[in-house]
């Protein structure tokens, strides 16, 4: 029993405390072009995007996306289905700390909603965000654009 109690206390004391940030964002630029038309409905595109963030994250996020559309609807893009990957460079303020970092974005667009998993790229932080690491997600749909980030510093 004594070994069990020591083991539990060891695990408890080593648990990491993550900080949480929430932000909303708006699209300031979206430039997308097809680089491979696979069939009339399937294609691969590249998009250069700029978001403006407000909330716990304040600043600009510049993104390069590569997207694969399983189904594209030129008459109503919100009826399209796609998967995408991207690298997001955030530059601004996170909870009163200035700097920048890169997020790796992996997501799906389906039914007019984009849902992404995010991971802060190791070693990408600058300024007061130099030692940042963590994960997050964002959801963009008819109700708005919301980003959540769980992060900490080495």
């Amino acid at each position: 029993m004594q070994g069990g109690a020591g083991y539990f206390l060891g695990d408890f004391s080593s648990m990491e405390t993550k900080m949480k940030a929430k932000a909303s964002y708006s699209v300031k630029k979206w430039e997308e072009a097809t680089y491979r038309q696979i069939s009339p409905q399937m294609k691969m595109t590249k998009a250069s995007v700029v978001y403006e963030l407000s909330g716990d994250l304040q600043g600009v996020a510049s993104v390069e996306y590569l997207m694969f559309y399983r189904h594209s609807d030129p008459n109503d893009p919100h009826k399209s289905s796609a998967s995408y990957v991207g690298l997001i460079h955030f530059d601004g303020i996170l909870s009163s700390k200035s700097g920048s970092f890169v997020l790796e974005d992996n997501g799906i667009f389906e039914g007019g909603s984009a849902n992404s998993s995010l991971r802060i790229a190791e070693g990408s932080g600058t300024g007061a965000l130099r030692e940042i690491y963590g994960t997050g997600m964002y959801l963009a749909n008819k109700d708005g654009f919301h980003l959540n980030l769980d992060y900490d510093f080495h």
Side-chain angles (χ1 to χ4, degrees), residues 22-26 52-59 90 145 147:
K22 292 185 179 197
S24 58
Y25 60 94
S26 59
E52 187 175 318
L53 286 86
S54 59
D56 297 328
L57 287 145
Q58 297 178 23
F90 170 78
F145 305 94
L147 184 142

Side-chain angles (χ1 to χ4, degrees), residues 38-103:
I38 299 169
S39 74
Q41 299 298 314
M42 274 194 289
K43 65 182 178 177
M44 297 172 76
T45 67
K46 179 181 180 225
S48 295
V49 180
V50 176
Y51 299 119
E52 187 175 318
L53 286 86
S54 59
D56 297 328
L57 287 145
Q58 297 178 23
V60 174
S62 302
V63 189
E64 296 298 321
Y65 286 119
L66 293 176
M67 294 180 269
F68 165 65
Y69 285 85
R70 291 179 296 286
H71 169 76
S72 62
D73 186 335
N75 298 321
D76 186 354
H78 290 99
K79 291 182 180 176
S80 298
S81 299
S83 6
Y84 55 88
V85 294
L87 291 175
I88 303 170
H89 180 257
F90 170 78
D91 189 12
I93 299 169
L94 169 58
S95 300
S96 77
K97 295 180 185 275
S98 293
S100 70
F101 57 88
V102 173
L103 290 161

Side-chain angles (χ1 to χ4, degrees), residues 4 12 31 34 41 54 58-59 104-105 108 113 116 127 146 150:
F12 182 77
E31 294 175 358
T34 300
Q41 299 298 314
S54 59
Q58 297 178 23
E104 298 168 357
D105 183 346
I108 293 176
S113 181
S116 280
H146 305 284
D150 294 328

